[in-house]
Amino acid sequence: MAASRRIVIDPFCYKQFDDPNYGGTRINCPKAQFEAHVNEYYTANPTELSNGYAPFCKHLFIPNFTGAKVGSAPITEHNRHLLRSGYQARTPKELPVLKRWFPASMVDAAPGKYLDVILYSKEQIQKECAAMQQEDPNKDVPYEYGVVSIKAQDINTEQPMEPITMMRNALGVSEGGSGVTLDKSKYAESVAFWEVNAIIQPDS
């Protein structure tokens, strides 16, 4: 049952629900409702978890029930001049890094067919919370996974994470990463994808 909360929404993901300036997929759905729906889907489809970039990371691809729009767009000769760049940090405890994006008002974004619900194990979340001197508000919940990110997209397979995210992960949990060593072949795949795509961010 959904009430068992086998999957919870990790606070790292709250910005996708609460921050109107978040760059990427915005979820216009109450967090409790989203969590309940994901748990219902996971309970009904327990074998649909896909492996992620590390043993503690999984992906659950579900039909987009929120109407969330895709969080990135292809870069073309017609829209390249619309790209913006600047230094941004995902949380106050992380160092800002150089990012580039399309202002949302300047590109058309349609609702994605799927949501890639990216999950971390409870053990990994506790490890990262300890390193960042934060407390997991769900620590007393016997959950299996926490939702750390959500991507609206038209494919039900993993989209490459951004190169800077892979680098941050390699820096370790004390810098907001996961501690996973950089895989050069995966990094090359990431560069190839993000060389011709960019996230969509609300106009500031």
Side-chain angles (χ1 to χ4, degrees), residues 1-12 14 35 39 42 56 118-130 134-148:
M1 296 177 60
S4 66
R5 298 187 69 196
R6 297 170 67 188
I7 294 175
V8 299
I9 299 176
D10 186 78
F12 184 78
Y14 286 178
E35 186 179 286
N39 272 285
Y42 178 47
F56 58 77
I118 304 173
L119 308 169
Y120 274 15
S121 68
K122 184 176 184 179
E123 180 182 4
Q124 179 66 19
I125 288 174
Q126 302 309 305
K127 178 181 177 181
E128 294 187 14
C129 282
Q134 298 173 335
E135 184 172 335
D136 177 11
N138 300 306
K139 63 182 177 63
D140 295 326
V141 177
Y143 69 89
E144 299 172 24
Y145 297 101
V147 180
V148 295

Side-chain angles (χ1 to χ4, degrees), residues 9-28 31 89-92 94 147-150 202:
I9 299 176
D10 186 78
F12 184 78
C13 192
Y14 286 178
K15 57 185 177 291
Q16 292 190 244
F17 295 83
D18 302 333
D19 183 0
N21 295 315
Y22 178 77
T25 299
R26 288 266 294 119
I27 305 297
N28 295 310
K31 288 191 281 289
R90 300 182 303 180
T91 72
E94 291 185 359
V147 180
V148 295
S149 185
I150 307 160

Side-chain angles (χ1 to χ4, degrees), residues 23-26 69-73 109-110 151-153 194 198-201:
T25 299
R26 288 266 294 119
K69 296 180 178 180
V70 294
S72 64
K151 295 180 180 179
Q153 52 192 52
W194 289 104
I199 63 169
I200 300 171
Q201 184 168 300

Side-chain angles (χ1 to χ4, degrees), residues 36-115:
H37 186 95
V38 169
N39 272 285
E40 289 171 4
Y41 188 89
Y42 178 47
T43 299
N45 305 274
T47 63
E48 290 199 10
L49 284 185
S50 299
N51 292 329
Y53 73 100
F56 58 77
C57 178
K58 303 294 181 183
H59 295 259
L60 183 63
F61 298 97
I62 65 177
N64 183 3
F65 65 96
T66 68
K69 296 180 178 180
V70 294
S72 64
I75 300 171
T76 70
E77 292 305 314
H78 299 291
N79 64 20
R80 185 180 298 274
H81 67 286
L82 302 175
L83 285 167
R84 303 289 184 268
S85 63
Y87 283 88
Q88 299 177 341
R90 300 182 303 180
T91 72
K93 292 191 175 184
E94 291 185 359
L95 295 173
V97 297
L98 185 62
K99 305 274 285 184
R100 69 174 181 177
W101 66 89
F102 284 119
S105 65
M106 296 185 178
V107 294
D108 293 325
K113 295 179 181 178
Y114 302 95
L115 295 177

